[in-house]
Amino acid sequence: MAFSYRKLKLKTRMIIVLGLVSALQTGLIGAFAGYYLSESLYDQIGQRALMVAKTVAAMPSVIDGVRSRDTEALMVLSKRVAATNEALFIVIGDHQAIRLAHPDPRRLGKSMADDDGDDGLLALRDGQGYVAKALGSMGLSMRGKAPIVDISNGEIIGIVSVGYSLDQVFTTIQRYNMVLYSVMGLMLLGSVIAAIVIAGRFKRAIFGLEPEEIAALFQERDATLQSVREGIIAINRDGVITTFNRTAIETLGLEPATRLAGQPISSVLPENDLMSVLESGEPDFDKEIWLQGRQMIVNRLPVKQGSEIIGVVASFRLRDELDQVSRQLTRIQQYADTLRSQTHEYSNKLHTIAGLIQIGANDEALALIGSEVSDHQALIHLLLDSVPDPVLAGCLLGKYNRAREMGLKLVIDPGSQMADVPPELPRDQLVSALGNVIDNALEATRFQCGEGGIVHLSMTDLGNDLIFEIEDQGPGVEPAQQERIFERGVTNKPDGDHGIGLYLVRQFVERWGGSVTIENLQPAGSRFTLYLPKLSLSKLSQPNR
């Protein structure tokens, strides 16, 4: 039977359970109501019998009849009063409970105890009225008994017993029970209908899924959540964490046994920005932030129910993981740019040399070859002597060739020295920042001067800082723009493109604990200076404050 029950649909199960619960509740309420009604009717009948008995016992004619033992008068009186009060019988006895009046004349002169076993001592001896249920000669009845007291001397001279047939009570109870059973039936029917409606709405609320399907989906969701390599945290509308995965704990550097569910997000991640997404309802993608002292890439998406925002889901990954891929792509891009520039330039040079040879200008061809070789050899020797780091040297060589491809010239100060670069300084971020500044300088110079423009670069690692100075021949930067030029989306380029390079430069330099400055040159141009301290004090592992 249990197996068959489990095979039933959820809606059917809910209807059965709710129906049984309703039937049980209705049955218990009905049983209690029936019992309470019966007891109430019995009590009311008993109190009525006692009241009539006390009234009869106090009548002067009854007192006189008992005192004079006028049986005939008492018989007439008892029948009349019984008929008036719809009583089954009224029996009057003397002080020894000997009948003086009874509906059956054959029982006159006999003890009232031979009827129901009650000798009436409680009334005759103690003078108290009481109620009793008994089966007598006239059937089952509820009786009220009261003492007859002589008002002249206060002596108990007799007893009155008034009885009401319980058959009448049973009939009344059955009539009330029929109404009660009808109401119970309607209540049960209403409960079943309500169970059907509730079960239907509940089933729709869970998209028609069965409990087993919900359990399977939960297990799949949990397995999927735990398999994601990004940390995931979800909060509800109150800012309380509802969902998280193991990767989130590992990425945030928390203890493995940490339970995040049920905790306010502000107590776990004080520097989070999830509440702003909860308020605005706007998603936030691929944003670089600091969490728990770690640089991360974060996506935040509001969860909506209809038009109401009920929570936020955030996924995040350490910036270092992306840096590994970025580092490889940066080197490949540098190599590609260098090779492309060299190929293009040498192709032009070879065509020129070939033309000189063909026209017989051998001396000019040899001079061009010597100049080309001497320029590259001088640059290579300078980089080998002054910049032993291959990543930085490769970046500078690539920018040198790119400048030549653009018809410009990148001049590196022969006195430059950059050998004492801290090992912990991320090379990909360094060459990215330096490359952005040089690219901006080249573009500004070409815009202002056209071909033949010069960009100067000088480097030094003397002292406690690494210093890079890049001078261009561009139009310069207005004083009012010198601070805003580092903001995201702000650019001086005529086409308004990008506006992110210098923003990233400043982000990197300041997180390392350094600074970047701009100053305009005379008569034209600008100088960008990057200061990077050699002792970073683990700046990259701390949020920028």
Side-chain angles (χ1 to χ4, degrees), residues 229-240:
R229 293 185 60 187
E230 290 190 348
I232 295 177
I233 289 180
I235 64 172
N236 60 18
R237 70 187 72 191
D238 299 320
V240 177

Side-chain angles (χ1 to χ4, degrees), residues 336-516:
D337 289 343
T338 301
L339 292 174
R340 180 173 56 81
S341 299
Q342 289 179 343
T343 299
H344 182 72
E345 183 179 358
Y346 281 117
S347 177
N348 292 332
K349 298 293 183 182
L350 287 174
H351 288 309
T352 302
I353 293 171
L356 291 173
I357 294 174
Q358 287 177 359
I359 64 176
N362 296 332
D363 292 339
E364 288 78 359
L366 291 174
L368 179 59
I369 293 172
S371 174
E372 188 67 25
V373 171
S374 63
D375 287 347
H376 275 82
Q377 287 298 321
L379 176 63
I380 291 173
H381 281 301
L382 173 62
L383 295 178
L384 289 176
D385 293 338
S386 304
V387 188
D389 188 285
V391 176
L392 181 57
C395 172
L396 296 178
L397 183 59
K399 298 304 177 185
Y400 175 84
N401 290 318
R402 173 161 175 74
R404 297 190 64 173
E405 183 184 23
M406 296 171 65
L408 306 174
K409 189 172 184 179
L410 176 62
V411 177
I412 301 178
D413 188 346
S416 295
Q417 181 72 28
M418 191 56 61
D420 192 15
V421 181
E424 64 271 17
L425 180 63
R427 299 304 193 268
D428 59 317
Q429 296 186 36
L430 172 61
V431 299
S432 176
L434 185 59
N436 274 324
V437 177
I438 294 176
D439 285 340
N440 283 350
L442 292 174
E443 293 178 8
T445 299
R446 184 173 64 173
F447 172 77
Q448 186 71 15
C449 302
E451 293 188 3
I454 300 175
V455 173
H456 290 272
L457 168 65
S458 64
M459 305 173 290
T460 180
D461 58 0
L462 298 178
N464 296 324
D465 296 327
L466 307 179
I467 302 175
F468 298 87
E469 289 187 354
I470 300 93
E471 297 180 0
D472 62 47
Q473 295 179 333
V477 181
E478 294 293 334
Q481 287 287 102
Q482 289 185 2
E483 185 64 27
R484 294 191 66 248
I485 197 68
F486 293 103
E487 296 179 7
R488 190 183 187 102
V490 177
T491 179
N492 277 346
K493 297 178 182 178
D495 56 3
D497 189 24
H498 304 305
I500 194 172
L502 293 180
Y503 166 77
L504 295 176
V505 171
R506 189 173 205 176
Q507 291 290 308
F508 162 70
V509 171
E510 291 187 349
R511 284 171 186 162
W512 184 255
S515 61
V516 56

Side-chain angles (χ1 to χ4, degrees), residues 17-298:
V17 171
L18 291 176
L20 290 176
V21 171
S22 298
L24 179 61
Q25 291 179 339
T26 303
L28 291 175
I29 293 173
F32 174 77
Y35 173 79
Y36 183 78
L37 176 63
S38 300
E39 292 300 315
S40 296
L41 287 174
Y42 286 141
D43 183 65
Q44 290 178 13
I45 294 296
Q47 292 302 317
R48 182 178 180 183
L50 180 60
M51 185 185 306
V52 174
K54 288 182 177 180
T55 301
V56 172
M59 295 174 64
S61 56
V62 172
I63 297 174
D64 292 340
V66 172
R67 187 186 299 120
S68 62
R69 302 185 70 84
D70 187 351
T71 301
E72 184 176 352
L74 292 175
M75 285 283 290
V76 174
L77 179 63
S78 65
K79 289 180 180 181
R80 179 169 54 81
V81 175
T84 302
N85 290 276
E86 299 179 348
L88 178 63
F89 62 82
I90 293 179
V91 177
I92 301 174
D94 61 12
H95 66 285
Q96 293 181 342
I98 302 300
R99 294 188 184 94
L100 300 177
H102 190 278
D104 186 359
R106 295 174 299 177
R107 294 184 174 274
L108 295 176
K110 297 181 180 180
S111 173
M112 297 172 63
D114 65 3
D115 194 14
D116 55 8
D118 183 7
D119 55 10
L121 289 180
L122 191 61
L124 293 172
R125 183 186 61 192
D126 301 330
Q128 295 182 6
Y130 62 95
V131 177
K133 184 191 299 183
L135 178 61
S137 59
M138 301 190 70
L140 187 63
S141 62
M142 183 67 72
R143 304 179 180 189
K145 297 186 177 184
I148 302 173
V149 180
D150 189 343
I151 58 176
S152 61
N153 54 19
E155 180 184 358
I156 297 175
I157 61 174
I159 183 173
V160 175
S161 176
V162 178
Y164 282 88
S165 174
L166 291 183
D167 292 338
Q168 297 176 352
V169 178
F170 293 150
T171 301
T172 303
I173 291 175
Q174 288 178 353
R175 185 171 65 253
Y176 284 130
N177 282 342
M178 289 300 296
V179 176
L180 180 61
Y181 294 150
S182 299
V183 173
M184 289 172 60
L186 291 175
M187 290 176 60
L188 182 58
L189 179 61
S191 299
V192 172
I193 294 174
I196 294 174
V197 173
I198 292 172
R201 290 188 176 180
F202 183 79
K203 193 70 181 291
R204 287 193 297 272
I206 60 176
F207 304 102
L209 298 174
E210 296 297 319
E212 295 78 9
E213 295 173 333
I214 295 175
L217 284 176
F218 176 80
Q219 292 174 347
E220 291 175 7
R221 189 218 66 157
D222 188 63
T224 302
L225 189 66
Q226 300 302 336
S227 66
V228 175
R229 293 185 60 187
E230 290 190 348
I232 295 177
I233 289 180
I235 64 172
N236 60 18
R237 70 187 72 191
D238 299 320
V240 177
I241 298 175
T242 57
T243 304
F244 66 96
N245 62 358
R246 287 190 299 269
T247 308
I249 295 178
E250 295 170 359
T251 305
L252 296 174
L254 303 176
E255 292 295 329
T258 303
R259 296 291 300 175
L260 299 180
Q263 297 190 43
I265 187 67
S266 57
S267 65
V268 178
L269 299 173
E271 64 270 31
N272 80 89
D273 200 24
L274 294 180
M275 297 305 295
S276 63
V277 178
L278 189 65
E279 294 172 359
S280 67
E282 297 296 328
D284 198 0
F285 298 106
D286 298 326
K287 184 174 182 180
E288 294 187 25
I289 66 171
W290 290 86
L291 289 176
Q292 297 292 93
R294 301 181 177 191
Q295 188 179 15
M296 300 184 187
I297 305 298
V298 178

